């Protein structure tokens, strides 16, 4: 049971780490807490489901590209101008939650079904120390960890990554040396929303997606990022894996109803005891 | 003087719908519902906008008042008024604990802790289904069975007006002025020798008690509560009441409650598009009219009638 719980927890945490990465990338670079990314990601998941009967690759691409574009546009026309006018975290909280309302409403209005499951091909099963695990779940976990490594490599070794770092560390200086900071912000927001979409696609394939999943993924993504130290990518991933295990074991021991209760309770405790998260935040809210 | 007229005007406007009791029906029912949320809206106006305390747990304090009233009355057979009082006291305790436990954190982290509590609480209610009824909820006769629906409606109107009058009064007192000072510059207030912690605890206590009392009133009026009624969006809608209406004028939350609570009631036939409409309106108001609707309506009226200005 313990091994089963660990594996389930790691996989849950792995999938959750995608929206967490989205939150971390957006917040780490723009300094804006975006609470709508879960809903935008699930909107992308619904789009993928809609086009799935045509071609799987194109369907996934449509969802991910759409989310990137939405992330880019909302940052460009809404969030960056508010930030330039001196908007604080509370204002961004309200604006991004309102954006979430819009996308949740669009899902309700456009798509014929309120709850869907994405039928992606399965990869068979793998036996780990006597526990049979779906290959697709292992793929989801590896994909999440791979994405983290790619983002870290991008950040350290590419021009784009260096401009991200410069923008997040000193905005004025970054502008002075000619970095188009508004573009950097928009790309970061686009990547964050695209990551949330990939997370939603995995979630929709392993469990299901409904109109509220976006809020759950977004809020979970955000609180897990807070526990890890918001804006701190490594902290976010460690926190996602730990929280995945907390959900898995509390589910086994106390039943599914208590999963979220225990999770949120722990997060509130962390906020009270260590407000800057497990590994500390690279920015302060 | 102008402020006094504005306060009296606000209270008189609030008392006007008591006339609906003669008409009864849907109008009366929905007005009572708007007023129950108006109480919570004024709690947010007082605590967040006037005292500067970053609290987002309004649905939690409201729910504690409501559930405590039902559980103590129905399961423990306590007298109704004692249960309502205990419910309000419990909500006060939770609000103060929330403040004390997050006092090491700053700004948005405090908001987040109380907001997470607002996400956690309905899930806790669902996990405690044998006692709370979870999503299926609990039915409650309460005051309706005792005094009848029309009397209860009038009671809701008068109690709301009394609560609003209390908030308007307290903001004019020395305590209110110190709370305003804290919201504008906490450190400066400490520097001049004031014990800001004491005043903050007082603000949380007042807000918690009235929110809990409002929750008890809510469940007596509606006769039902479930985890769906207190989900996280409830806290957001409560917060939007003074934000959309305008927190700088006394009657701002009244306008906000009409907008945030009444419009969804009237737009039930097009419920499918409600969230899109609301999301867009919220964004537009926040971006284009950051002071809220009331001050802008005032400006518009002055432009239309320049002689009065």
């Amino acid at each position: 049971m313990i091994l089963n719980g660990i594996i389930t927890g790691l996989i849950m945490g792995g999938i959750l780490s995608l929206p967490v990465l989205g939150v971390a990338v957006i917040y780490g670079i723009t300094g804006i807490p975006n609470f709508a990314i879960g809903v935008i990601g699930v909107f992308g998941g619904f789009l993928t489901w809609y086009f799935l009967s045509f071609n799987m690759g194109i369907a996934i691409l449509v969802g991910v590209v759409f989310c990137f574009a939405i992330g880019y546009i909302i940052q460009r026309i809404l969030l960056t101008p508010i930030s330039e006018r001196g908007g604080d975290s509370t204002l961004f909280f309200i604006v991004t939650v309102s954006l979430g309302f819009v996308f949740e409403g669009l899902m309700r209005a456009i798509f014929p079904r309120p709850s869907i499951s994405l039928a992606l091909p399965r990869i068979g099963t793998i036996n780990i120390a006597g526990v049979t695990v779906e290959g697709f779940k292992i793929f989801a976990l590896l994909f999440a960890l791979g994405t983290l490594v790619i983002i870290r490599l991008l950040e350290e070794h590419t021009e784009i990554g260096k401009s991200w770092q410069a923008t997040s560390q000193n905005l004025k200086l970054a502008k002075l040396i000619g970095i188009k900071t508004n573009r950097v912000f928009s790309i970061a927001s686009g990547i964050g929303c695209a990551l949330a979409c990939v997370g939603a696609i995995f979630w929709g394939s392993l469990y299901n997606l409904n109109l509220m999943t976006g809020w759950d993924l977004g809020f979970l993504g955000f609180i897990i990022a807070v526990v890890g130290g918001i804006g701190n990518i490594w902290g976010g991933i460690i926190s996602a894996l730990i929280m995945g295990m907390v959900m898995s074991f509390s589910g086994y021991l106390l039943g599914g109803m208590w999963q979220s209760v225990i999770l949120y309770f722990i997060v509130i405790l962390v906020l009270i005891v260590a407000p800057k998260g497990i590994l500390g935040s690279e920015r302060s809210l | 003087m102008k402020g006094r007229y504005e306060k009296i005007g606000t209270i008189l406007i609030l008392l006007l719908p008591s006339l609906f009791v003669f008409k009864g029906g849907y109008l009366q029912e929905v007005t009572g519902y708007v007023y129950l949320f108006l109480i919570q809206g004024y709690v947010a106006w007082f605590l967040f906008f006037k005292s500067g305390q970053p609290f987002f747990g309004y649905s939690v304090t409201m729910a504690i008042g409501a559930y405590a009233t039902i559980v103590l009355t129905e399961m423990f057979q306590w007298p109704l008024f004692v249960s309502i009082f205990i419910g309000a006291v419990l909500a006060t305790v939770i609000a103060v604990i929330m403040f004390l436990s997050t006092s090491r954190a700053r700004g948005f982290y405090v908001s987040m802790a109380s907001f997470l509590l607002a996400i956690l609480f309905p899930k806790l209610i669902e996990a405690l289904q044998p006692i709370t009824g979870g999503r299926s909820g609990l039915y409650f006769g309460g005051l309706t069975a005792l005094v009848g629906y029309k009397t209860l409606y009038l009671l809701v109107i008068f109690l709301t007006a009394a609560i609003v009058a209390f908030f308007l009064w307290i903001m004019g007192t020395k305590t209110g002025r110190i709370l305003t000072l804290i919201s504008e510059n906490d450190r400066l207030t400490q520097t001049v020798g004031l014990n800001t912690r004491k005043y903050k605890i007082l603000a949380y206590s007042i807000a918690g008690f009235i929110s809990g009392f409002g929750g008890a009133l809510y469940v007596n009026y509606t006769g039902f509560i479930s985890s769906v009624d207190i989900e996280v969006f409830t806290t957001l809608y409560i917060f939007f009441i003074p934000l959309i209406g305008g927190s700088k004028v006394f009657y701002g939350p009244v306008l906000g409650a009409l907008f945030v609570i009444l419009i969804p009631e009237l737009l039930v036939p097009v419920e499918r598009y409600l969230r899109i409409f609301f999301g867009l309106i919220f964004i537009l108001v926040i971006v284009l009219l950051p002071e809220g609707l009331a001050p802008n309506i005032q400006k518009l009226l002055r432009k239309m009638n320049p002689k009065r200005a």
Side-chain angles (χ1 to χ4, degrees):
Chain A
M1 189 202 90
I2 291 175
L3 188 64
N4 206 352
I6 291 173
I7 292 170
T8 309
L10 280 175
I11 289 160
M12 269 182 150
I15 297 170
L16 279 175
S17 70
L18 288 163
V20 171
L21 259 177
V23 170
V25 166
I26 295 178
Y27 187 77
I29 295 167
T30 66
I32 294 172
N34 186 342
F35 286 85
I37 75 163
V39 183
I40 294 172
V42 169
F43 191 95
F46 267 76
L47 263 184
T48 302
W49 167 80
Y50 192 76
F51 289 103
L52 209 55
S53 55
F54 298 106
N55 178 294
M56 187 187 75
I58 291 174
I60 293 174
L61 202 66
V62 167
V64 174
V65 170
F66 175 83
C67 286
F68 178 87
I70 289 296
Y72 190 99
I73 293 166
I74 58 169
Q75 184 68 40
R76 191 79 170 186
I77 65 168
L78 186 67
L79 302 178
T80 301
I82 294 176
S83 175
E84 283 169 349
R85 275 168 34 192
D88 62 2
S89 296
T90 306
L91 188 66
F92 284 119
F93 168 66
I94 298 158
V95 171
T96 54
V97 165
S98 303
L99 263 175
F101 282 157
V102 175
F103 280 95
E104 188 207 319
L106 284 172
M107 268 191 282
R108 207 181 285 266
I110 295 172
F111 297 105
R113 280 166 57 183
S115 180
I116 57 160
S117 184
L118 289 161
L120 297 185
R122 292 296 191 256
I123 311 172
T125 55
I126 296 167
N127 198 301
I128 304 171
V131 179
T132 307
V133 187
E134 256 190 77
F136 188 77
K137 289 183 176 176
I138 301 289
F139 173 70
L141 177 63
L142 292 177
F143 186 92
L145 295 176
T147 310
L148 165 73
V149 172
I150 289 169
I151 286 180
R152 264 301 177 206
L153 288 175
L154 268 177
E155 210 172 27
E156 298 292 333
H157 301 288
T158 65
E159 281 301 312
I160 295 176
K162 282 172 187 161
S163 65
W164 286 359
Q165 283 186 343
T167 309
S168 70
Q169 282 163 13
N170 193 326
L171 183 61
K172 279 183 188 166
L173 200 64
K175 276 182 179 168
L176 270 177
I177 59 172
I179 294 172
K180 290 176 179 164
T181 53
N182 284 356
R183 196 159 166 261
V184 170
F185 286 161
S186 303
I187 290 173
S189 173
I191 290 176
C193 290
L195 284 170
C197 177
V198 178
I201 291 170
F202 276 124
W203 195 271
S205 173
L206 292 172
Y207 311 102
N208 71 341
L209 293 179
N210 61 48
L211 298 173
M212 296 310 288
T213 312
W215 293 110
D216 287 340
L217 279 181
F219 287 142
L220 275 176
F222 193 82
I223 60 167
I224 290 170
V226 167
V227 170
I230 188 159
N232 184 329
I233 291 179
W234 286 112
I237 298 298
I238 292 170
S239 160
L241 296 177
I242 293 173
M243 290 300 164
M245 290 238 239
V246 167
M247 283 176 85
S248 163
F249 279 105
S250 54
Y252 273 119
L253 298 172
L254 301 166
M257 299 285 257
W258 287 93
Q259 263 183 340
S260 306
V261 176
I262 303 289
L263 182 75
Y264 281 100
F265 186 70
I266 289 176
V267 174
I268 292 171
L269 275 185
V270 170
L271 270 181
I272 290 168
V273 178
K276 290 210 163 183
I278 300 169
L279 294 190
S281 174
E282 288 175 3
R283 276 176 178 265
S284 64
L285 277 166
Chain B
M1 202 61 166
K2 191 188 158 212
R4 180 179 290 178
Y5 286 135
E6 201 180 304
K7 283 179 188 175
I8 295 170
T10 305
I11 302 300
L12 288 176
I13 289 169
L14 281 173
L15 290 172
L16 266 181
S18 54
L19 298 172
F20 292 160
V21 80
F22 298 112
K23 191 163 167 52
Y26 178 69
L27 194 61
Q28 178 194 311
E29 188 184 328
V30 84
T31 315
Y33 189 68
V34 172
Y35 271 57
L36 293 164
F37 275 96
L38 185 59
I39 295 175
Q40 304 299 332
Y42 266 100
V43 170
W45 176 83
F46 167 72
L47 191 61
F48 192 98
F49 293 94
K50 291 291 164 187
S51 310
Q53 299 309 304
F55 184 71
F56 276 102
Y58 308 106
S59 60
V60 179
T61 42
M62 174 185 163
I64 288 170
Y67 276 103
T69 304
I70 302 185
V71 171
L72 293 177
T73 312
E74 297 281 314
M75 289 180 192
F76 293 91
Q77 306 294 317
W78 286 23
L80 179 61
F81 292 104
V82 176
S83 305
I84 291 174
F85 180 74
I86 298 292
V89 170
L90 278 176
T92 311
V93 171
I94 294 295
V96 172
I97 288 177
M98 208 60 209
F99 164 68
L100 293 176
S101 57
T102 51
S103 56
R104 279 183 61 225
R106 280 179 180 278
F108 198 60
Y109 284 102
V110 184
S111 313
M112 272 296 97
S114 55
F115 184 67
L116 293 177
L117 191 67
I119 302 177
L120 162 78
F121 203 75
K123 295 179 191 299
L124 183 68
I125 292 293
E126 280 168 22
L128 295 171
Q129 195 184 10
I131 303 167
T132 61
R135 288 181 88 82
S136 310
L138 293 173
Y139 289 89
F140 187 57
L143 279 171
T144 318
L146 214 65
V147 296
Y149 196 61
K150 284 197 169 180
T151 315
L152 182 58
Y153 170 74
L154 287 174
L155 200 65
V156 167
I157 299 282
F158 284 105
L159 282 172
T160 307
I163 286 168
V164 174
F166 169 76
F167 277 132
L168 300 186
W169 167 76
I170 202 165
M171 288 319 294
T173 62
K174 187 186 162 201
T175 305
R177 282 194 288 273
I178 292 170
L179 287 173
T180 309
L181 202 61
I182 290 172
S183 76
E184 281 165 8
N185 196 329
D186 193 359
R187 200 161 283 178
L188 182 71
T189 318
Q190 285 175 34
T191 315
V192 296
L194 288 165
N195 184 351
T196 57
R197 193 179 165 87
K198 189 181 85 181
Y199 283 97
K200 284 179 192 172
I201 290 175
L202 182 69
Y204 273 90
S205 304
I206 293 170
F209 188 87
I210 293 179
S211 178
F213 178 72
L217 210 55
Y218 173 91
V219 81
N220 275 288
Y221 186 80
T222 58
F224 176 78
I225 193 162
S226 76
S227 62
V228 180
D229 299 316
I230 51 149
E231 63 179 9
V232 65
F233 297 108
T234 306
T235 220
L236 290 172
Y237 281 133
I238 290 169
F239 181 74
F240 281 137
I241 289 173
L243 184 85
I244 297 292
S247 59
K248 287 189 177 157
V249 287
F250 297 126
Y251 59 89
V254 181
L255 213 59
L258 285 177
F259 193 86
V260 176
I261 308 296
L262 188 62
I263 288 181
E265 281 294 322
L266 301 177
L267 291 182
V268 167
V270 284
E271 201 185 1
R272 197 177 166 85
Y273 304 100
L274 203 64
R275 283 274 164 97
I276 306 175
F277 169 77
F278 257 89
L280 287 175
I281 294 285
F282 287 152
I283 294 170
L284 285 176
V285 170
I286 291 160
V287 173
L288 302 176
L289 312 169
E291 288 181 331
L293 293 174
N296 288 287
I297 289 175
Q298 255 180 353
K299 277 182 206 164
L300 193 72
L301 289 175
R302 269 195 218 116
K303 268 187 191 169
M304 285 165 65
N305 190 0
K307 277 181 192 169
R308 274 191 67 202

